[in-house]
Amino acid sequence: RPAADTVSAMTLDACMAYAVEHNPNVRQQIYANRNYRQEYIASIAALVPSISASASATTSFGRSVDPETNTYTTVANLDNSYSLSGQIPVFAGLSGINTVRAARVMRLMGIEELQQARDEAALNAMQAYFDVVYYTESVRLAREQRQTSAANLRKSRKLYELGLKSAADVAEIESQCASDDFLLTQQENNLALAKISLCEAMNYPSGCCPEIVAEIAVGTPAGAAAYGAVLAYALEKHPKEQMRLKYSVAKGKYYPSVSAGGGYSTNFFMSLDDRSLYAPFGSQLRDNRGYYFSARLSIPIFGGLTKRTSVNRARNNWRIAELQRDATLRTLQSEVAQAYQQM
């Protein structure tokens, strides 16, 4: 961040850009979106086959079993084995597909939440910026009013000395001058507080405040701002859809699941005392190879009510999201109507 003594006057756009860049909520949402992306990738990866490989080597001394003759021997042996296997889910109550869809919705929601965090940071900085502009001009006007009152007071005192004004007239102007003093002090305090609020909105380094460009031109928007499209957009991006998909994922655990798999394995065996007793390494790997294919059907019968409770929780979250959607819609209608009227 720039030092306080090297900062030039910042425009409104510069203050808003600085606030967005340094806002902690924006940074937190960026990291949250990265987690959403990882969850989306993980949900897709759960649908593809899983592959694993293993290799092992065992050396035995003393009495052991010969894998070729299946008899006991007392020689030192070396056993080496390799395997490769894979498995793919075929059907699991569509829970995998719904998990991908829910993760995709969460990722899109994260993008909208990031934009909302940026907009809020920019709008807060804009509000604080205009407060500084407003109170800067208020201080200038109060100072001019104070100077005018002081001049009137000096003039009335001279007229009093000449007998052209009474003491009551002078006291009245002194009272007005004191009132203007109070107004100037009040506006200066308001300006100081506005600068503190601007630093807070921008997340600016503590102990200093940026100088701003107070001369700005603001245009008045023309025409009526229709908020029907805004409400439709908010309805489309609301988390209700994500909760409904989570409910579908939970229900999918009630259904049987089917998976298929296969594998390949081979091994090598050698006597360390007499290596000529067994075939070479390459020949054994070729001759001892084996394959297998498998299919697995899993039918849930009873699991301690975990599936039932998770389904009920997902259904309740879905209903809560629907109620929140209705409340958000009503609040949004009110806020747009109030903002339109204020404009």
Side-chain angles (χ1 to χ4, degrees):
R1 301 182 184 184
D5 55 351
T6 62
V7 175
S8 58
M10 300 180 66
T11 63
L12 173 61
D13 291 339
C15 290
M16 295 171 68
Y18 187 97
V20 171
E21 180 182 358
H22 297 87
N23 187 269
N25 294 332
V26 173
R27 293 183 176 182
Q28 291 177 13
Q29 190 59 47
I30 290 175
Y31 289 116
N33 287 359
R34 293 178 182 178
N35 287 336
Y36 292 153
R37 182 175 182 272
Q38 297 305 315
E39 292 174 1
Y40 179 63
I41 295 175
S43 64
I44 295 178
L47 300 178
V48 302
S50 60
I51 302 174
S52 60
S54 64
S56 65
T58 304
T59 302
S60 61
F61 302 92
R63 189 173 178 82
S64 61
V65 178
D66 189 325
E68 288 195 354
T69 61
N70 202 28
T71 59
Y72 285 100
T73 179
T74 57
V75 297
N77 299 320
L78 173 64
D79 187 10
N80 200 194
S81 61
Y82 308 89
S83 66
L84 178 68
S85 63
Q87 188 174 4
I88 181 172
V90 179
F91 178 77
L94 299 179
S95 60
I97 299 296
N98 288 325
T99 300
V100 173
R101 294 173 60 191
R104 181 176 179 273
V105 171
M106 282 297 298
R107 188 179 177 187
L108 295 176
M109 285 175 52
I111 295 175
E112 298 301 325
E113 290 172 355
L114 176 60
Q115 186 59 47
Q116 181 180 357
R118 287 172 173 168
D119 291 342
E120 290 180 352
L123 290 174
N124 290 336
M126 182 182 68
Q127 178 66 52
Y129 183 96
F130 279 115
D131 286 343
V132 173
V133 172
Y134 175 82
Y135 286 114
T136 299
E137 291 300 305
S138 297
V139 168
R140 183 183 64 82
L141 295 175
R143 186 174 289 114
E144 291 178 355
Q145 179 64 32
R146 173 65 180 82
Q147 292 173 354
T148 301
S149 299
N152 290 335
L153 179 60
R154 289 193 298 270
K155 180 180 178 181
S156 63
R157 284 175 176 173
K158 289 186 177 295
L159 293 176
Y160 173 75
E161 293 175 355
L162 297 175
L164 299 178
K165 275 189 176 292
S166 64
D169 294 333
V170 175
E172 182 179 358
I173 296 177
E174 288 177 344
S175 174
Q176 180 62 42
C177 189
S179 177
D180 292 340
D181 279 336
F182 171 77
L183 178 61
L184 176 60
T185 302
Q186 186 181 49
Q187 296 304 323
E188 288 176 343
N189 288 335
N190 289 336
L191 176 60
L193 293 175
K195 289 182 177 181
I196 293 174
S197 298
L198 178 60
C199 292
E200 181 181 0
M202 294 174 58
N203 199 25
Y204 208 75
S206 59
C208 58
C209 184
E211 294 295 330
I212 65 171
V213 178
E215 294 79 11
I216 55 178
V218 180
T220 302
Y227 55 84
V230 177
L231 297 179
Y233 185 82
L235 177 62
E236 179 184 357
K237 300 300 181 181
H238 199 265
K240 166 180 172 287
E241 177 69 14
Q242 191 259 350
M243 292 299 179
R244 185 185 67 81
L245 291 172
K246 284 190 174 182
Y247 174 59
S248 300
V249 171
K251 284 201 307 181
K253 296 179 181 180
Y254 277 134
Y255 297 97
S257 60
V258 180
S259 60
Y264 165 83
S265 64
T266 185
N267 69 291
F268 168 75
F269 185 82
M270 179 183 66
S271 172
L272 298 178
D273 295 336
D274 188 358
R275 302 185 180 183
S276 63
L277 296 177
Y278 300 93
F281 180 78
S283 299
Q284 287 198 40
L285 291 184
R286 182 181 63 255
D287 298 336
N288 296 335
R289 60 189 175 182
Y291 309 88
Y292 77 90
F293 298 95
S294 65
R296 180 173 179 268
L297 172 64
S298 176
I299 302 175
I301 298 177
F302 180 75
L305 299 179
T306 56
K307 296 181 180 62
R308 180 181 178 84
T309 54
S310 63
V311 168
N312 290 337
R313 284 197 300 267
R315 184 191 296 113
N316 293 334
N317 290 334
W318 180 16
R319 291 171 177 172
I320 291 173
E322 287 183 329
L323 295 175
Q324 290 176 344
R325 167 194 169 274
D326 296 336
T328 300
L329 186 59
R330 290 193 298 269
T331 302
L332 188 58
Q333 289 174 329
S334 176
E335 289 180 352
V336 171
Q338 292 177 12
Y340 174 78
Q341 186 64 33
Q342 290 173 356
M343 179 189 66

